[in-house]
Amino acid sequence: LRALVADLSKVAISDPACGSLLQPLLLFKGFHALAVHRVAHALWQTGTANAAGAAPGRTAALLLQAKISEKWGADIHPGAKFGEGCMLDHATGVVIGATAEIGRDCYLLHGVTLGSSGKPVADPETKRHPSIGAGCILGAGCTVLGGHVKVGDKVSVGAGAVVTKSVPDGATVVGANRVVRAGKAPEKRAKGKVGAGAAPPKPTPQAAAPCHVRPRSRL
């Protein structure tokens, strides 16, 4: 319940289109999809196999996953973990794998994919999907692949970016693994200019221009 309240607060704070708390509660499909996923995740966590080898809790969780995908267009495996205060903006086309982990206070736009690298694994419980830190923004259509990938806290992933390597805290990623800002932006130094702390160049001595004296005319 606390996670749902935090999600609702996140929508109210982050989405300028939200006019009141009642709007996401009744009308925003991203909030609905995440709320139902939290129920599915709880069922997935408590599901245990019976004598026949079936896990009724997990079966119910997978059924909820199918309904979320059918009704709201977001395919989130019930094994995926979300922290408190997250938001799925629009939600359409979001795909999140079973072992993905999303930290608290994250903002995901439509078309985000948190997937695996595609390499076969023997154990289905093996970490195959990325981990996203707290306070991150995942832009529309971005893709983060691989269980070895860890996206740090307060990272911004640009729209359409592809991430297959870990990203440090506070970075901004665009394109294919291109980190354009990691923590403090590097100082730019213009070519030919003196850097901070460097001694100024010594002036180059120049030869004096020859002085042309006009001879006096004789009377």
Side-chain angles (χ1 to χ4, degrees):
L1 182 60
R2 185 174 66 180
L4 292 176
V5 173
D7 294 345
L8 191 62
S9 300
K10 175 69 174 178
V11 176
I13 294 171
S14 302
D15 192 350
C18 178
S20 68
L21 290 176
L22 196 60
Q23 287 183 356
L25 192 62
L26 298 178
L27 303 171
F28 287 12
K29 68 177 184 176
F31 175 78
H32 295 167
L34 185 53
V36 177
H37 166 74
R38 291 194 184 279
V39 176
H41 180 68
L43 290 171
W44 184 265
Q45 292 293 96
T46 58
T48 55
N50 57 22
R58 292 198 166 188
T59 301
L62 291 171
L63 178 61
L64 286 178
Q65 176 196 1
K67 292 299 180 182
I68 293 171
S69 179
E70 177 184 354
K71 187 173 181 61
W72 297 301
D75 193 356
I76 310 173
H77 192 281
K81 300 177 182 178
F82 275 84
E84 297 178 359
C86 290
M87 176 182 174
L88 303 181
D89 198 354
H90 303 294
T92 301
V94 170
V95 178
I96 300 177
T99 59
E101 299 179 14
I102 299 94
R104 59 181 178 81
D105 195 32
C106 285
Y107 178 80
L108 286 71
L109 281 105
H110 52 283
V112 169
T113 299
L114 304 181
S116 70
S117 63
K119 297 179 181 179
V121 293
D123 185 2
E125 298 298 325
T126 301
K127 179 81 167 129
R128 308 184 305 279
H129 305 90
S131 297
I132 310 299
C136 293
I137 299 174
L138 304 184
C142 72
T143 302
V144 187
L145 301 176
H148 65 286
V149 176
K150 294 183 179 180
V151 176
D153 296 341
K154 298 187 182 303
V155 167
S156 296
V157 180
V162 178
V163 180
T164 58
K165 299 178 181 179
S166 294
V167 182
D169 293 349
T172 298
V173 187
V174 298
N177 294 314
R178 183 186 176 194
V179 178
V180 296
R181 183 176 64 85
K184 185 178 179 181
E187 182 180 349
K188 294 182 179 179
R189 296 177 61 181
K191 187 176 180 180
K193 290 188 177 181
V194 180
K202 294 181 179 180
T204 303
Q206 297 180 356
C211 181
H212 298 281
V213 179
R214 188 175 181 180
R216 293 181 180 180
S217 58
R218 293 183 179 180
L219 298 176

Short mmCIF file of all heavy atoms in Angstrom, two decimals, residues 43-105:
data_model
loop_
_atom_site.label_atom_id
_atom_site.label_comp_id
_atom_site.label_asym_id
_atom_site.label_seq_id
_atom_site.Cartn_x
_atom_site.Cartn_y
_atom_site.Cartn_z
N LEU A 43 2.43 -12.03 -5.59
CA LEU A 43 2.03 -13.42 -5.82
C LEU A 43 3.22 -14.25 -6.30
O LEU A 43 3.38 -15.41 -5.91
CB LEU A 43 0.91 -13.47 -6.87
CG LEU A 43 -0.46 -12.95 -6.42
CD1 LEU A 43 -1.39 -12.85 -7.62
CD2 LEU A 43 -1.05 -13.84 -5.35
N TRP A 44 4.05 -13.66 -7.13
CA TRP A 44 5.22 -14.37 -7.64
C TRP A 44 6.19 -14.70 -6.52
O TRP A 44 6.77 -15.78 -6.47
CB TRP A 44 5.92 -13.52 -8.70
CG TRP A 44 7.08 -14.18 -9.37
CD1 TRP A 44 8.40 -14.07 -9.05
CD2 TRP A 44 7.02 -15.07 -10.50
NE1 TRP A 44 9.17 -14.83 -9.89
CE2 TRP A 44 8.34 -15.45 -10.80
CE3 TRP A 44 5.97 -15.56 -11.28
CZ2 TRP A 44 8.66 -16.30 -11.84
CZ3 TRP A 44 6.29 -16.41 -12.34
CH2 TRP A 44 7.61 -16.78 -12.61
N GLN A 45 6.36 -13.77 -5.59
CA GLN A 45 7.29 -13.96 -4.48
C GLN A 45 6.80 -15.03 -3.50
O GLN A 45 7.60 -15.77 -2.93
CB GLN A 45 7.50 -12.65 -3.73
CG GLN A 45 8.23 -11.58 -4.53
CD GLN A 45 9.67 -11.95 -4.82
OE1 GLN A 45 9.99 -12.47 -5.88
NE2 GLN A 45 10.55 -11.70 -3.87
N THR A 46 5.50 -15.11 -3.30
CA THR A 46 4.95 -16.06 -2.32
C THR A 46 4.59 -17.39 -2.96
O THR A 46 4.26 -18.34 -2.24
CB THR A 46 3.70 -15.48 -1.66
OG1 THR A 46 2.72 -15.19 -2.66
CG2 THR A 46 4.03 -14.21 -0.90
N GLY A 47 4.62 -17.48 -4.27
CA GLY A 47 4.23 -18.71 -4.95
C GLY A 47 5.23 -19.83 -4.69
O GLY A 47 6.43 -19.67 -4.87
N THR A 48 4.73 -20.97 -4.25
CA THR A 48 5.57 -22.15 -4.00
C THR A 48 4.96 -23.34 -4.71
O THR A 48 3.74 -23.43 -4.88
CB THR A 48 5.68 -22.46 -2.50
OG1 THR A 48 4.37 -22.61 -1.95
CG2 THR A 48 6.41 -21.34 -1.77
N ALA A 49 5.79 -24.24 -5.12
CA ALA A 49 5.32 -25.41 -5.85
C ALA A 49 4.60 -26.37 -4.91
O ALA A 49 5.01 -26.59 -3.77
CB ALA A 49 6.50 -26.12 -6.51
N ASN A 50 3.51 -26.97 -5.41
CA ASN A 50 2.80 -27.98 -4.63
C ASN A 50 3.33 -29.36 -4.97
O ASN A 50 4.35 -29.51 -5.63
CB ASN A 50 1.28 -27.89 -4.88
CG ASN A 50 0.94 -28.04 -6.36
OD1 ASN A 50 1.73 -28.60 -7.13
ND2 ASN A 50 -0.23 -27.55 -6.75
N ALA A 51 2.64 -30.41 -4.50
CA ALA A 51 3.12 -31.77 -4.70
C ALA A 51 3.22 -32.13 -6.18
O ALA A 51 4.06 -32.94 -6.59
CB ALA A 51 2.19 -32.75 -3.99
N ALA A 52 2.37 -31.54 -7.01
CA ALA A 52 2.38 -31.84 -8.44
C ALA A 52 3.43 -31.03 -9.19
O ALA A 52 3.59 -31.18 -10.41
CB ALA A 52 1.00 -31.57 -9.04
N GLY A 53 4.15 -30.15 -8.48
CA GLY A 53 5.19 -29.36 -9.11
C GLY A 53 4.70 -28.01 -9.63
O GLY A 53 5.47 -27.23 -10.17
N ALA A 54 3.40 -27.73 -9.51
CA ALA A 54 2.86 -26.46 -9.97
C ALA A 54 2.95 -25.41 -8.87
O ALA A 54 3.00 -25.74 -7.68
CB ALA A 54 1.41 -26.63 -10.41
N ALA A 55 2.97 -24.16 -9.25
CA ALA A 55 3.02 -23.05 -8.30
C ALA A 55 1.80 -22.17 -8.54
O ALA A 55 1.83 -21.31 -9.43
CB ALA A 55 4.30 -22.26 -8.45
N PRO A 56 0.71 -22.37 -7.79
CA PRO A 56 -0.52 -21.60 -8.04
C PRO A 56 -0.32 -20.09 -7.96
O PRO A 56 -0.90 -19.34 -8.75
CB PRO A 56 -1.45 -22.10 -6.93
CG PRO A 56 -0.91 -23.44 -6.54
CD PRO A 56 0.56 -23.35 -6.72
N GLY A 57 0.50 -19.65 -6.99
CA GLY A 57 0.73 -18.21 -6.86
C GLY A 57 1.40 -17.64 -8.10
O GLY A 57 1.04 -16.57 -8.59
N ARG A 58 2.36 -18.36 -8.64
CA ARG A 58 3.07 -17.89 -9.82
C ARG A 58 2.19 -17.97 -11.07
O ARG A 58 2.31 -17.14 -11.97
CB ARG A 58 4.37 -18.67 -10.00
CG ARG A 58 5.37 -18.37 -8.90
CD ARG A 58 6.78 -18.76 -9.27
NE ARG A 58 7.73 -18.17 -8.34
CZ ARG A 58 9.05 -18.20 -8.48
NH1 ARG A 58 9.58 -18.81 -9.55
NH2 ARG A 58 9.84 -17.64 -7.60
N THR A 59 1.32 -18.97 -11.11
CA THR A 59 0.39 -19.06 -12.24
C THR A 59 -0.54 -17.86 -12.25
O THR A 59 -0.81 -17.26 -13.30
CB THR A 59 -0.43 -20.36 -12.16
OG1 THR A 59 0.46 -21.48 -12.16
CG2 THR A 59 -1.39 -20.47 -13.32
N ALA A 60 -1.04 -17.48 -11.07
CA ALA A 60 -1.90 -16.30 -10.97
C ALA A 60 -1.15 -15.04 -11.34
O ALA A 60 -1.69 -14.13 -11.99
CB ALA A 60 -2.46 -16.19 -9.54
N ALA A 61 0.14 -14.98 -10.95
CA ALA A 61 0.96 -13.81 -11.29
C ALA A 61 1.14 -13.69 -12.80
O ALA A 61 1.05 -12.59 -13.36
CB ALA A 61 2.31 -13.92 -10.60
N LEU A 62 1.39 -14.80 -13.47
CA LEU A 62 1.54 -14.79 -14.92
C LEU A 62 0.24 -14.42 -15.62
O LEU A 62 0.24 -13.78 -16.68
CB LEU A 62 2.05 -16.15 -15.41
CG LEU A 62 3.49 -16.48 -15.01
CD1 LEU A 62 3.80 -17.94 -15.35
CD2 LEU A 62 4.48 -15.54 -15.69
N LEU A 63 -0.88 -14.83 -15.03
CA LEU A 63 -2.18 -14.45 -15.58
C LEU A 63 -2.37 -12.93 -15.50
O LEU A 63 -2.85 -12.31 -16.46
CB LEU A 63 -3.30 -15.17 -14.83
CG LEU A 63 -4.74 -14.85 -15.27
CD1 LEU A 63 -4.95 -15.23 -16.73
CD2 LEU A 63 -5.74 -15.57 -14.38
N LEU A 64 -1.97 -12.34 -14.38
CA LEU A 64 -2.07 -10.88 -14.25
C LEU A 64 -1.14 -10.18 -15.25
O LEU A 64 -1.49 -9.15 -15.81
CB LEU A 64 -1.73 -10.45 -12.81
CG LEU A 64 -2.79 -10.75 -11.75
CD1 LEU A 64 -2.28 -10.33 -10.37
CD2 LEU A 64 -4.10 -10.04 -12.07
N GLN A 65 0.04 -10.74 -15.46
CA GLN A 65 0.96 -10.18 -16.45
C GLN A 65 0.31 -10.15 -17.82
O GLN A 65 0.39 -9.14 -18.54
CB GLN A 65 2.25 -10.99 -16.52
CG GLN A 65 3.21 -10.51 -17.61
CD GLN A 65 4.29 -11.51 -17.95
OE1 GLN A 65 4.33 -12.60 -17.37
NE2 GLN A 65 5.17 -11.15 -18.86
N ALA A 66 -0.35 -11.24 -18.18
CA ALA A 66 -1.01 -11.30 -19.49
C ALA A 66 -2.12 -10.26 -19.60
O ALA A 66 -2.30 -9.63 -20.65
CB ALA A 66 -1.58 -12.70 -19.72
N LYS A 67 -2.85 -10.05 -18.51
CA LYS A 67 -3.94 -9.06 -18.52
C LYS A 67 -3.39 -7.64 -18.62
O LYS A 67 -3.99 -6.78 -19.29
CB LYS A 67 -4.81 -9.22 -17.27
CG LYS A 67 -5.60 -10.52 -17.23
CD LYS A 67 -6.56 -10.62 -18.41
CE LYS A 67 -7.37 -11.91 -18.38
NZ LYS A 67 -8.27 -12.01 -19.57
N ILE A 68 -2.27 -7.37 -17.94
CA ILE A 68 -1.64 -6.05 -18.03
C ILE A 68 -1.22 -5.77 -19.47
O ILE A 68 -1.46 -4.68 -20.01
CB ILE A 68 -0.41 -5.97 -17.10
CG1 ILE A 68 -0.84 -6.03 -15.63
CG2 ILE A 68 0.38 -4.68 -17.35
CD1 ILE A 68 0.34 -6.18 -14.67
N SER A 69 -0.62 -6.77 -20.09
CA SER A 69 -0.16 -6.61 -21.48
C SER A 69 -1.34 -6.41 -22.43
O SER A 69 -1.29 -5.57 -23.34
CB SER A 69 0.64 -7.84 -21.90
OG SER A 69 1.08 -7.73 -23.23
N GLU A 70 -2.40 -7.15 -22.20
CA GLU A 70 -3.57 -7.06 -23.08
C GLU A 70 -4.31 -5.74 -22.92
O GLU A 70 -4.72 -5.12 -23.90
CB GLU A 70 -4.51 -8.23 -22.77
CG GLU A 70 -5.80 -8.23 -23.56
CD GLU A 70 -6.74 -9.35 -23.15
OE1 GLU A 70 -6.35 -10.20 -22.33
OE2 GLU A 70 -7.88 -9.37 -23.65
N LYS A 71 -4.44 -5.29 -21.69
CA LYS A 71 -5.28 -4.11 -21.42
C LYS A 71 -4.52 -2.80 -21.57
O LYS A 71 -5.06 -1.82 -22.11
CB LYS A 71 -5.87 -4.21 -20.01
CG LYS A 71 -6.89 -3.13 -19.69
CD LYS A 71 -7.56 -3.40 -18.36
CE LYS A 71 -8.61 -2.34 -18.04
NZ LYS A 71 -9.70 -2.28 -19.01
N TRP A 72 -3.26 -2.75 -21.12
CA TRP A 72 -2.54 -1.48 -21.08
C TRP A 72 -1.28 -1.46 -21.95
O TRP A 72 -0.58 -0.45 -22.00
CB TRP A 72 -2.18 -1.13 -19.64
CG TRP A 72 -3.40 -0.92 -18.78
CD1 TRP A 72 -4.39 -0.01 -18.99
CD2 TRP A 72 -3.75 -1.62 -17.59
NE1 TRP A 72 -5.34 -0.10 -18.00
CE2 TRP A 72 -4.97 -1.10 -17.12
CE3 TRP A 72 -3.15 -2.66 -16.87
CZ2 TRP A 72 -5.60 -1.55 -15.98
CZ3 TRP A 72 -3.78 -3.12 -15.72
CH2 TRP A 72 -4.99 -2.58 -15.29
N GLY A 73 -0.95 -2.56 -22.62
CA GLY A 73 0.16 -2.56 -23.56
C GLY A 73 1.54 -2.56 -22.94
O GLY A 73 2.51 -2.23 -23.61
N ALA A 74 1.64 -2.94 -21.67
CA ALA A 74 2.94 -3.03 -21.00
C ALA A 74 3.18 -4.47 -20.59
O ALA A 74 2.35 -5.07 -19.93
CB ALA A 74 2.97 -2.13 -19.76
N ASP A 75 4.32 -5.02 -21.00
CA ASP A 75 4.64 -6.42 -20.71
C ASP A 75 5.72 -6.47 -19.63
O ASP A 75 6.91 -6.34 -19.93
CB ASP A 75 5.10 -7.12 -21.98
CG ASP A 75 5.14 -8.65 -21.83
OD1 ASP A 75 4.87 -9.13 -20.71
OD2 ASP A 75 5.44 -9.33 -22.82
N ILE A 76 5.30 -6.63 -18.40
CA ILE A 76 6.22 -6.63 -17.26
C ILE A 76 6.14 -7.98 -16.57
O ILE A 76 5.08 -8.36 -16.06
CB ILE A 76 5.87 -5.51 -16.25
CG1 ILE A 76 5.72 -4.17 -16.98
CG2 ILE A 76 6.92 -5.41 -15.17
CD1 ILE A 76 5.19 -3.05 -16.09
N HIS A 77 7.25 -8.69 -16.55
CA HIS A 77 7.25 -10.00 -15.89
C HIS A 77 7.03 -9.81 -14.39
O HIS A 77 7.58 -8.88 -13.79
CB HIS A 77 8.58 -10.71 -16.14
CG HIS A 77 8.55 -12.16 -15.76
ND1 HIS A 77 8.68 -12.59 -14.46
CD2 HIS A 77 8.39 -13.28 -16.52
CE1 HIS A 77 8.62 -13.91 -14.42
NE2 HIS A 77 8.44 -14.35 -15.66
N PRO A 78 6.21 -10.68 -13.77
CA PRO A 78 5.94 -10.51 -12.33
C PRO A 78 7.16 -10.66 -11.45
O PRO A 78 7.13 -10.25 -10.28
CB PRO A 78 4.90 -11.60 -12.05
CG PRO A 78 5.01 -12.57 -13.18
CD PRO A 78 5.43 -11.77 -14.36
N GLY A 79 8.24 -11.22 -11.97
CA GLY A 79 9.45 -11.32 -11.18
C GLY A 79 10.24 -10.03 -11.08
O GLY A 79 11.10 -9.88 -10.21
N ALA A 80 9.97 -9.07 -11.96
CA ALA A 80 10.69 -7.79 -11.95
C ALA A 80 10.40 -7.01 -10.67
O ALA A 80 9.26 -6.99 -10.20
CB ALA A 80 10.30 -6.97 -13.17
N LYS A 81 11.45 -6.36 -10.14
CA LYS A 81 11.31 -5.63 -8.88
C LYS A 81 11.31 -4.12 -9.12
O LYS A 81 12.19 -3.60 -9.79
CB LYS A 81 12.46 -5.99 -7.94
CG LYS A 81 12.53 -7.47 -7.59
CD LYS A 81 13.74 -7.76 -6.71
CE LYS A 81 13.86 -9.23 -6.39
NZ LYS A 81 15.06 -9.52 -5.57
N PHE A 82 10.32 -3.45 -8.54
CA PHE A 82 10.22 -1.99 -8.60
C PHE A 82 10.36 -1.43 -7.20
O PHE A 82 9.74 -1.93 -6.25
CB PHE A 82 8.87 -1.56 -9.17
CG PHE A 82 8.80 -1.51 -10.66
CD1 PHE A 82 8.53 -2.66 -11.39
CD2 PHE A 82 8.99 -0.32 -11.35
CE1 PHE A 82 8.45 -2.63 -12.77
CE2 PHE A 82 8.92 -0.28 -12.74
CZ PHE A 82 8.64 -1.43 -13.45
N GLY A 83 11.14 -0.36 -7.07
CA GLY A 83 11.17 0.37 -5.81
C GLY A 83 9.95 1.26 -5.67
O GLY A 83 9.11 1.34 -6.58
N GLU A 84 9.84 1.93 -4.56
CA GLU A 84 8.69 2.80 -4.31
C GLU A 84 8.81 4.09 -5.11
O GLU A 84 9.89 4.56 -5.42
CB GLU A 84 8.59 3.12 -2.81
CG GLU A 84 8.34 1.91 -1.94
CD GLU A 84 8.31 2.27 -0.47
OE1 GLU A 84 8.50 3.47 -0.14
OE2 GLU A 84 8.10 1.38 0.36
N GLY A 85 7.66 4.67 -5.44
CA GLY A 85 7.63 5.97 -6.09
C GLY A 85 8.07 5.97 -7.52
O GLY A 85 8.75 6.90 -7.97
N CYS A 86 7.70 4.94 -8.29
CA CYS A 86 8.06 4.86 -9.71
C CYS A 86 6.87 5.26 -10.58
O CYS A 86 5.72 5.23 -10.15
CB CYS A 86 8.52 3.47 -10.08
SG CYS A 86 10.12 3.03 -9.37
N MET A 87 7.18 5.62 -11.82
CA MET A 87 6.13 6.07 -12.74
C MET A 87 6.38 5.52 -14.14
O MET A 87 7.50 5.60 -14.65
CB MET A 87 6.08 7.60 -12.79
CG MET A 87 5.10 8.14 -13.80
SD MET A 87 5.11 9.94 -13.85
CE MET A 87 4.01 10.24 -15.22
N LEU A 88 5.33 4.96 -14.75
CA LEU A 88 5.35 4.57 -16.15
C LEU A 88 4.52 5.60 -16.91
O LEU A 88 3.30 5.63 -16.79
CB LEU A 88 4.74 3.17 -16.34
CG LEU A 88 5.37 2.02 -15.56
CD1 LEU A 88 4.65 0.71 -15.88
CD2 LEU A 88 6.86 1.89 -15.87
N ASP A 89 5.20 6.46 -17.64
CA ASP A 89 4.50 7.51 -18.37
C ASP A 89 4.03 6.95 -19.72
O ASP A 89 4.85 6.53 -20.53
CB ASP A 89 5.42 8.71 -18.58
CG ASP A 89 4.65 9.97 -18.93
OD1 ASP A 89 3.42 9.88 -19.11
OD2 ASP A 89 5.27 11.04 -19.01
N HIS A 90 2.75 6.92 -19.95
CA HIS A 90 2.11 6.34 -21.14
C HIS A 90 2.10 4.82 -21.09
O HIS A 90 1.11 4.20 -21.47
CB HIS A 90 2.75 6.83 -22.44
CG HIS A 90 2.76 8.31 -22.60
ND1 HIS A 90 1.60 9.04 -22.75
CD2 HIS A 90 3.77 9.20 -22.61
CE1 HIS A 90 1.90 10.32 -22.86
NE2 HIS A 90 3.21 10.46 -22.77
N ALA A 91 3.21 4.20 -20.71
CA ALA A 91 3.33 2.75 -20.48
C ALA A 91 3.31 1.90 -21.75
O ALA A 91 3.82 0.78 -21.74
CB ALA A 91 2.23 2.26 -19.54
N THR A 92 2.77 2.37 -22.84
CA THR A 92 2.67 1.57 -24.06
C THR A 92 4.04 1.11 -24.53
O THR A 92 4.96 1.90 -24.65
CB THR A 92 1.99 2.37 -25.18
OG1 THR A 92 0.70 2.79 -24.75
CG2 THR A 92 1.85 1.55 -26.44
N GLY A 93 4.17 -0.18 -24.79
CA GLY A 93 5.41 -0.72 -25.32
C GLY A 93 6.50 -0.98 -24.32
O GLY A 93 7.61 -1.38 -24.70
N VAL A 94 6.24 -0.80 -23.03
CA VAL A 94 7.25 -1.09 -22.01
C VAL A 94 7.39 -2.60 -21.87
O VAL A 94 6.40 -3.32 -21.72
CB VAL A 94 6.86 -0.46 -20.65
CG1 VAL A 94 7.77 -0.96 -19.54
CG2 VAL A 94 6.92 1.06 -20.74
N VAL A 95 8.64 -3.09 -21.93
CA VAL A 95 8.93 -4.52 -21.77
C VAL A 95 10.03 -4.67 -20.73
O VAL A 95 11.13 -4.12 -20.89
CB VAL A 95 9.37 -5.16 -23.10
CG1 VAL A 95 9.71 -6.64 -22.90
CG2 VAL A 95 8.29 -5.01 -24.16
N ILE A 96 9.74 -5.40 -19.66
CA ILE A 96 10.69 -5.56 -18.55
C ILE A 96 10.78 -7.04 -18.20
O ILE A 96 9.76 -7.69 -17.94
CB ILE A 96 10.26 -4.73 -17.33
CG1 ILE A 96 10.22 -3.25 -17.71
CG2 ILE A 96 11.21 -4.95 -16.17
CD1 ILE A 96 9.73 -2.34 -16.60
N GLY A 97 11.99 -7.57 -18.18
CA GLY A 97 12.22 -8.98 -17.95
C GLY A 97 12.15 -9.40 -16.49
O GLY A 97 12.08 -8.57 -15.57
N ALA A 98 12.23 -10.72 -16.29
CA ALA A 98 11.96 -11.32 -14.98
C ALA A 98 12.94 -10.93 -13.90
O ALA A 98 12.56 -10.78 -12.74
CB ALA A 98 11.93 -12.84 -15.13
N THR A 99 14.22 -10.77 -14.23
CA THR A 99 15.22 -10.49 -13.20
C THR A 99 15.65 -9.03 -13.17
O THR A 99 16.66 -8.69 -12.55
CB THR A 99 16.46 -11.40 -13.40
OG1 THR A 99 17.01 -11.15 -14.71
CG2 THR A 99 16.08 -12.87 -13.30
N ALA A 100 14.90 -8.17 -13.84
CA ALA A 100 15.22 -6.73 -13.82
C ALA A 100 14.91 -6.14 -12.45
O ALA A 100 13.98 -6.58 -11.76
CB ALA A 100 14.43 -6.00 -14.90
N GLU A 101 15.68 -5.12 -12.08
CA GLU A 101 15.46 -4.42 -10.81
C GLU A 101 15.47 -2.92 -11.09
O GLU A 101 16.40 -2.41 -11.70
CB GLU A 101 16.55 -4.78 -9.80
CG GLU A 101 16.58 -6.26 -9.44
CD GLU A 101 17.69 -6.59 -8.46
OE1 GLU A 101 18.25 -5.65 -7.86
OE2 GLU A 101 18.00 -7.78 -8.29
N ILE A 102 14.42 -2.25 -10.64
CA ILE A 102 14.29 -0.80 -10.83
C ILE A 102 14.25 -0.15 -9.46
O ILE A 102 13.41 -0.52 -8.62
CB ILE A 102 13.03 -0.45 -11.65
CG1 ILE A 102 13.10 -1.09 -13.04
CG2 ILE A 102 12.88 1.06 -11.79
CD1 ILE A 102 12.41 -2.42 -13.15
N GLY A 103 15.11 0.80 -9.22
CA GLY A 103 15.17 1.47 -7.93
C GLY A 103 14.01 2.41 -7.70
O GLY A 103 13.16 2.63 -8.57
N ARG A 104 13.97 3.01 -6.54
CA ARG A 104 12.88 3.91 -6.18
C ARG A 104 12.98 5.22 -6.97
O ARG A 104 14.05 5.61 -7.44
CB ARG A 104 12.91 4.21 -4.67
CG ARG A 104 14.20 4.85 -4.21
CD ARG A 104 14.22 5.12 -2.71
NE ARG A 104 15.49 5.68 -2.29
CZ ARG A 104 15.83 6.94 -2.40
NH1 ARG A 104 14.99 7.80 -2.96
NH2 ARG A 104 17.00 7.37 -2.00
N ASP A 105 11.86 5.89 -7.09
CA ASP A 105 11.79 7.23 -7.68
C ASP A 105 12.28 7.26 -9.13
O ASP A 105 12.95 8.19 -9.54
CB ASP A 105 12.58 8.21 -6.82
CG ASP A 105 12.27 9.67 -7.16
OD1 ASP A 105 11.12 9.94 -7.55
OD2 ASP A 105 13.17 10.53 -7.04
#
